[in-house]
Amino acid sequence: MVNALAPQTAERAAPSPPSAGPAVDGRRRGRRRQVVVAYLFLAPTLLFFAVFLFLPLGFALLLSMSRWAGFHLGDIDPVGLDNFAGLFADGSTFLTPVLTNTLLFALGTVVLALAGSVLVATCVDRLRFQGLWRTLYFLPIVTTVVAVGNVWKYMYEPGGLVNGVLNAAGLGSVAFLQDPDTALPSVVVVQAWASVGTAILVLTAGLKSIPESYYEAAALDGAGQVTVFLRITLPLLRPSLLFVCVTQFLTGLQSFALIIVMTKGGPGDATAVAALEMYRQAFSYGDWGTASAAAFVLFLVVLVVTLAQLWFFRRKGEDA
Amino acid sequence: MNRRRFPWLSYLVVVSGAVLTVVPFLDMVMTSFKGPGEAGTLPYRFLPKAFDLSNYRAAFDQLDLPVLFRNSVVATALITGSVLLTSSLAGYALAKLRFPGRDFVFRLVLSTMMFPPFLFFIPHFLILVHWPLAGGNDLLGRGGAGLTVSVVALAMPFLVNGFGIFLMRQFVIAIPDEVLEAARIDGAGEFTVWWRIVVPQTKPVVVTLGLLTFVDAWNEYIWALLVSTAEPEVMTLPVGIQLLQDHVDPTRTMPIVMAGLVLSVLPVLVLFLLLQKHYVRGIMLSGLK
């Protein structure tokens, strides 16, 4: 994965000898034309990245170290690291419950999605109609978060499907999204439900790459299914498992669309996560400085996880 | 593994998982047909008493669906078209043209993929508000609402995609140099080479990238929410439906919300079912989501 990202550095053209006739002149003109054409083809892309990547990054960094209530750009008031200090000051909700919620949300999603996808992927591998199952498990992924969030919110209602099933089983109703104790786990279930399809896809591909001969050898040795799963499937599936873990964890750290749709961070701060806090600070409270600082803190967390992942995969790559 | 015995346990796991996955969708469809007072009341009933289409009619009335649809379609078309065009052109340049700074530009494209989207919501919004000479702004971007009043604002931050460029480059590289060289010797310019050879040769990956981009753009919520809070005229389907559900008593309007959701989910679902292989391949290639 990492190696595939390395740019091709092969510059095959040897420098042509000077004054070697009109053919070379023509080729050289062709080269010069290629340079112009290349930058022409890249112009929209480079322009876009300048305006929508580098300018915003600089702007966000500036805002994170300023006090600003919006409106006039001239009113941006530099305050150094005050915004960052404010986030971690006594009485700030950023560390607890917001960052804690973020980690719990990401972690919960990973655990649930991983457990579900391992179970389904290993079972699907033995069945017919694999395409059909894959299609079904994939439906949530192509569905807008507004649909996913609202349908589940409705299913969690006192008169909704989930409580309907609980009541039919003789259990009492649960106020899933209204009770601060159950709100976060309830949202985690939905996020895991929505992401399990991708995980199944990755794990199925991983399973397919395990040589059949390993299983045959194990069968000859008389190994039971549980032993085969623990001793062959799981260890050989480790790269795929790790990949699913890290990507789902990163997605979980950044996600807040589902929470906006379902709970808006409530009740109280029970489902407030970092990206949502950033969004609210800016667009609800007009505190753009604190919002930008929160964004960079979360970015730092994401970056650390990403680098740890790269480091880990690179080390693994050396063994292989 | 043991494939001879009937794997009833596997079937049990996979089928119950599939039921868990599909039931919310069925609940959405069933609720969209329920009459007044039928949804969200105890005891819970899965099926509607009658398949009543009035919620769909109400969705058209209360949601201004044609406008929402138009905005969603325009934004999605702009994003998909632009991503395909810029990715193909840049991918070709990075794969097959020789020019100074190529490695640097390629590394730059790769580096754009590591920045998480939430970092950009605030600055993108401010940049569009202060866009010079648009929406009543002066040359320095002061005085008006900038580009946020236009449907274009919905698409702007998504017009170029680093992953798209990377993906196209990886596939263009596989085209043999001889084919391109032959066309050049026949007098074809680089633009002709791109349009006549590179684009047709990369058609499968164009479909994959187009589909991924389409689905993401159609389903996008947060940015569209920001833009349409500033300017309700440019509201998209997801934002409009969410607004309805936020502002009216949910138990009463839930069937209407569900009807709107069914209509908004349908185009993507149909496209996904038709082009499933391409989409799945795209998810594998991107490895994310």
Side-chain angles (χ1 to χ4, degrees):
Chain A
M1 184 72 190
V2 176
N3 285 337
L5 296 182
Q8 286 226 328
T9 43
E11 278 289 334
R12 269 158 300 160
S16 40
S19 65
V24 173
D25 268 6
R27 202 184 303 158
R28 199 174 291 154
R29 244 198 326 274
R31 286 278 158 72
R32 231 183 353 248
R33 211 179 50 207
Q34 269 201 8
V35 176
V36 176
V37 171
Y39 276 104
L40 216 61
F41 282 11
L42 285 166
T45 297
L46 293 175
L47 204 67
F48 177 89
F49 284 143
V51 177
F52 286 99
L53 198 91
F54 293 103
L55 180 64
L57 276 179
F59 199 21
L61 203 60
L62 172 74
L63 277 183
S64 73
M65 291 186 257
S66 310
R67 188 167 297 124
W68 191 50
F71 310 111
H72 301 292
L73 292 178
D75 297 346
I76 295 177
D77 176 23
V79 293
L81 296 176
D82 283 8
N83 293 326
F84 292 93
L87 284 176
F88 296 103
D90 284 342
S92 159
T93 55
F94 188 69
L95 208 54
T96 43
V98 174
L99 264 188
T100 324
N101 283 347
T102 313
L103 290 175
L104 284 176
F105 180 78
L107 214 63
T109 313
V110 169
V111 171
L112 273 185
L114 202 67
S117 58
V118 168
L119 202 62
V120 173
T122 47
C123 290
V124 156
D125 201 35
R126 311 176 201 185
L127 304 186
R128 298 170 62 193
F129 313 118
Q130 289 191 20
L132 170 75
W133 304 122
R134 196 180 58 193
T135 308
L136 290 180
Y137 283 105
F138 237 69
L139 290 179
I141 294 164
V142 292
T143 308
T144 171
V145 65
V146 173
V148 169
N150 277 315
V151 171
W152 275 91
K153 188 178 169 187
Y154 169 60
M155 295 201 318
Y156 278 143
E157 291 283 314
L161 192 147
V162 181
N163 276 317
V165 171
L166 286 181
N167 294 345
L171 297 166
S173 295
V174 179
F176 289 98
L177 297 177
Q178 287 78 29
D179 183 339
D181 292 333
T182 51
L184 191 63
S186 304
V187 182
V188 164
V189 167
V190 183
Q191 176 84 6
W193 174 85
S195 54
V196 89
T198 319
I200 291 174
L201 190 70
V202 174
L203 294 183
T204 309
L207 284 171
K208 294 247 185 289
S209 69
I210 300 177
E212 192 70 17
S213 56
Y214 288 20
Y215 292 117
E216 284 158 12
L220 279 180
D221 287 349
Q225 288 205 4
V226 177
T227 317
V228 169
F229 180 76
L230 290 178
R231 292 293 177 80
I232 297 178
T233 311
L234 266 192
L236 289 172
L237 205 56
R238 217 169 64 166
S240 311
L241 288 172
L242 205 68
F243 182 77
V244 169
C245 271
V246 174
T247 49
Q248 301 280 5
F249 190 68
L250 285 174
T251 314
L253 286 177
Q254 305 173 29
S255 304
F256 66 113
L258 186 71
I259 291 179
I260 284 200
V261 171
M262 291 185 74
T263 63
K264 307 217 165 6
D269 272 334
T271 55
V273 290
L276 176 73
E277 187 61 14
M278 166 212 84
Y279 180 92
R280 284 202 295 199
Q281 287 290 346
F283 296 102
S284 304
Y285 313 138
D287 189 347
W288 301 82
T290 302
S292 303
F296 274 102
V297 172
L298 182 57
F299 177 48
L300 207 68
V301 176
V302 169
L303 199 67
V304 167
V305 176
T306 312
L307 290 178
Q309 169 209 14
L310 279 178
W311 174 78
F312 193 87
F313 276 119
R314 205 164 279 170
R315 222 186 44 163
K316 283 276 127 193
E318 279 167 9
D319 310 340
Chain B
M1 271 179 238
N2 195 341
R3 286 162 201 274
R4 270 155 295 177
R5 246 187 304 160
F6 183 73
W8 60 270
L9 193 64
S10 297
Y11 266 108
L12 187 73
V13 169
V14 171
V15 170
S16 40
V19 168
L20 275 180
T21 310
V22 176
V23 157
F25 287 94
L26 292 178
D27 198 35
M28 171 170 83
V29 176
M30 292 306 157
T31 307
S32 76
F33 290 115
K34 283 180 182 169
E38 218 186 315
T41 48
L42 292 167
Y44 175 80
R45 278 174 52 105
F46 186 64
L47 292 171
K49 285 185 187 124
F51 282 88
D52 186 1
L53 281 174
S54 64
N55 294 319
Y56 286 85
R57 231 168 291 136
F60 268 92
D61 293 343
Q62 297 190 21
L63 278 169
D64 210 356
L65 272 182
V67 174
L68 299 181
F69 247 109
R70 190 201 63 203
N71 290 338
S72 277
V73 167
V74 169
T76 305
L78 277 175
I79 293 169
T80 311
S82 168
V83 163
L84 287 180
L85 185 70
T86 54
S87 298
S88 186
L89 283 173
Y92 171 53
L94 290 172
K96 292 296 184 186
L97 297 179
R98 284 188 211 135
F99 59 95
R102 185 169 77 170
D103 284 355
F104 174 76
V105 173
F106 185 59
R107 276 172 207 278
L108 191 129
V109 168
L110 290 183
S111 74
T112 64
M113 289 194 269
M114 66 174 246
F115 295 106
F118 66 80
L119 211 51
F120 295 95
F121 288 123
I122 293 170
H124 278 169
F125 188 75
L126 295 173
I127 284 172
L128 288 185
V129 169
H130 294 284
W131 199 269
L133 300 177
N137 278 353
D138 62 13
L139 191 64
L140 293 173
R142 293 173 307 193
L147 270 186
T148 52
V149 293
S150 152
V151 188
V152 178
L154 292 169
M156 279 300 250
F158 308 106
L159 290 179
V160 176
N161 183 315
F163 167 71
I165 296 171
F166 170 69
L167 188 66
M168 289 307 298
R169 176 191 173 272
Q170 299 309 94
F171 278 79
V172 175
I173 271 190
I175 302 174
D177 282 333
E178 293 76 27
V179 179
L180 305 177
E181 210 47 61
R184 286 184 193 127
I185 287 168
D186 287 346
E190 293 304 330
F191 187 81
T192 315
V193 171
W194 170 74
W195 179 246
R196 286 289 169 81
I197 298 172
V198 174
V199 172
Q201 293 263 340
T202 49
K203 224 154 116 193
V205 71
V206 169
V207 175
T208 296
L209 179 60
L211 195 60
L212 279 183
T213 313
F214 181 95
V215 172
D216 277 355
W218 185 266
N219 290 342
E220 207 287 327
Y221 176 62
I222 301 284
W223 175 251
L225 173 67
L226 276 182
V227 175
S228 30
T229 309
E231 175 54 62
E233 281 295 301
V234 301
M235 200 174 280
T236 59
L237 271 171
V239 180
I241 295 170
Q242 181 62 36
L243 204 67
L244 180 69
Q245 119 81 26
D246 280 346
H247 283 263
V248 198
D249 169 29
T251 49
R252 196 162 53 79
T253 51
M254 197 44 88
I256 302 172
V257 170
M258 292 298 158
L261 287 176
V262 170
L263 291 174
S264 78
V265 166
L266 218 52
V268 186
L269 231 47
V270 169
L271 205 67
F272 166 69
L273 291 176
L274 288 177
L275 296 169
Q276 207 201 123
K277 273 202 185 103
H278 291 279
Y279 188 85
V280 169
R281 195 170 72 125
I283 294 288
M284 286 305 285
L285 286 170
S286 73
L288 284 165
K289 253 194 107 168

